[in-house]
């Protein structure tokens, strides 16, 4: 790879670290950068390994802030979504995958904006119900397996649940640590994790670690309203980019 390509990957790795400990939606930019430099399918495996590095740091820093009741509602259906995402990844071409995930994210973003603006309490009560949580979990598993794009789905769920910044980040940390561990055997089984991908991930891991600690320093200073708006904005922008 050229120096420019390594710089793009390094910037993507930095965003992974910051996204895991401060601004969740920014990891979506990393997915785009990796897919620009590497073949689309292989890029998901390289990013997955770096996401796991960030997950370990985030869990260590935010373990006490996790909402385990919410995780218990979401995680069982995630496995079903991951299996569906793996099947879709093995069958669909890149364009179909991008458009499908973009449409899902845009619909969920529009729904969240509409309901948060109208009646936040009603939305919070709705997402606490088991069928709704299962639907979000399955969609999160599907999109994270197919394109490392589960973050927006889960972020919208946490936003609808009206989590504050630290509770959001702590619950997210454990959720994606568990989910990404589940995804790893699926990626390996369809041949996406190879020696070259492992080498790239190893070289970029120190950037993820350093930026994760920087993100942790910044997180307490992010206003709640700004945090919520940024999650919605980044999710919508990523969804539109996939559709376009």
């Amino acid at each position: 790879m050229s120096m420019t390509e390594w710089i793009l990957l390094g910037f993507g790795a930095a965003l992974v670290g910051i996204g895991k400990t401060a601004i969740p939606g920014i990891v979506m930019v990393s997915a785009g950068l990796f897919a620009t430099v590497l073949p689309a399918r292989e890029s998901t495996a390289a990013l997955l390994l770096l996401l796991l590095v960030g997950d370990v740091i985030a869990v260590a820093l935010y373990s006490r802030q996790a909402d385990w009741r919410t995780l218990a509602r979401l995680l069982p259906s995630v496995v079903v979504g991951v299996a569906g995402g793996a099947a879709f990844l093995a069958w669909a071409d890149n364009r179909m995958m991008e458009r499908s995930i973009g449409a899902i994210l845009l619909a969920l973003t529009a729904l969240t904006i509409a309901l948060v603006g109208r009646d936040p309490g009603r939305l919070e009560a709705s997402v606490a119900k088991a069928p709704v949580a299962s639907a979000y979990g399955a969609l999160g598993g599907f999109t994270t397996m197919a394109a490392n794009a589960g973050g927006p789905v889960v972020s919208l769920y946490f936003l609808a649940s009206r989590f504050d910044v630290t509770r959001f980040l702590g619950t997210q940390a454990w959720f994606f640590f568990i989910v990404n561990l589940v995804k790893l055997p699926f990626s390996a089984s369809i041949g996406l994790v190879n020696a070259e991908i492992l080498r790239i991930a190893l070289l970029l891991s120190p950037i993820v670690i350093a930026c994760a600690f920087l993100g942790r320093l910044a997180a307490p200073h992010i206003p709640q309203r700004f945090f919520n708006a940024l999650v919605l904005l980044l999710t919508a922008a990523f969804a539109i980019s996939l559709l376009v």
Side-chain angles (χ1 to χ4, degrees):
M1 290 186 293
S2 68
M3 180 61 69
T4 300
E5 289 173 325
W6 276 112
I7 290 172
L8 289 174
L9 291 180
F11 183 57
L15 295 182
V16 168
I18 295 170
K20 288 296 179 181
T21 57
I23 307 172
I26 210 166
V27 175
M28 295 178 291
V29 180
S30 301
L33 290 172
F34 273 67
T36 299
V37 175
L38 301 171
R41 286 158 54 84
E42 285 74 8
S43 74
T44 65
L47 187 56
L48 173 59
L49 295 173
L50 293 178
L51 290 171
L52 276 166
V53 173
D55 290 331
V56 171
I57 304 299
V59 164
L61 294 174
Y62 289 112
S63 59
R64 295 183 179 180
Q65 282 76 36
D67 186 320
W68 286 99
R69 183 176 298 178
T70 297
L71 288 172
R73 285 197 297 262
L74 286 173
L75 285 171
S77 60
V78 170
V79 178
V80 177
V82 167
F88 188 70
L89 188 61
W91 169 76
D93 60 34
N94 290 331
R95 192 63 192 136
M96 182 183 295
M97 180 176 68
E98 290 171 352
R99 286 178 173 171
S100 300
I101 293 172
I104 291 169
L105 293 179
L106 202 57
L108 287 175
T109 304
L111 179 63
T112 301
I113 292 172
L115 293 179
V116 166
R118 184 179 303 173
D119 190 350
R122 181 181 175 186
L123 179 59
E124 183 179 5
S126 296
V127 297
K129 296 177 180 178
V132 177
S134 295
Y136 271 92
L139 285 173
F142 176 85
T143 53
T144 195
M145 185 67 226
N148 284 316
V153 176
V154 178
S155 291
L156 290 173
Y157 184 82
F158 294 162
L159 194 64
S161 301
R162 303 175 75 183
F163 284 5
D164 61 34
V165 174
T166 55
R167 189 178 172 203
F168 189 119
L169 293 170
T171 309
Q172 174 198 250
W174 275 106
F175 179 88
F176 280 109
F177 178 59
I178 295 167
V179 169
N180 287 333
L181 281 178
V182 171
K183 285 166 54 181
L184 190 58
F186 285 95
S187 290
S189 68
I190 57 179
L192 298 183
V193 179
N194 54 45
E196 180 62 18
I197 293 300
L198 288 170
R199 184 179 75 89
I200 291 170
L202 183 64
L203 290 171
L204 295 174
S205 291
I207 300 175
V208 175
I209 295 169
C211 290
F213 281 102
L214 288 176
R216 178 65 180 92
L217 294 175
H221 305 290
I222 301 175
Q224 184 70 47
R225 182 172 293 182
F226 175 78
F227 181 86
N228 293 348
L230 192 58
V231 168
L232 288 170
L233 179 63
L234 289 172
T235 302
F238 181 64
I240 292 169
S241 72
L242 289 177
L243 290 171
V244 173

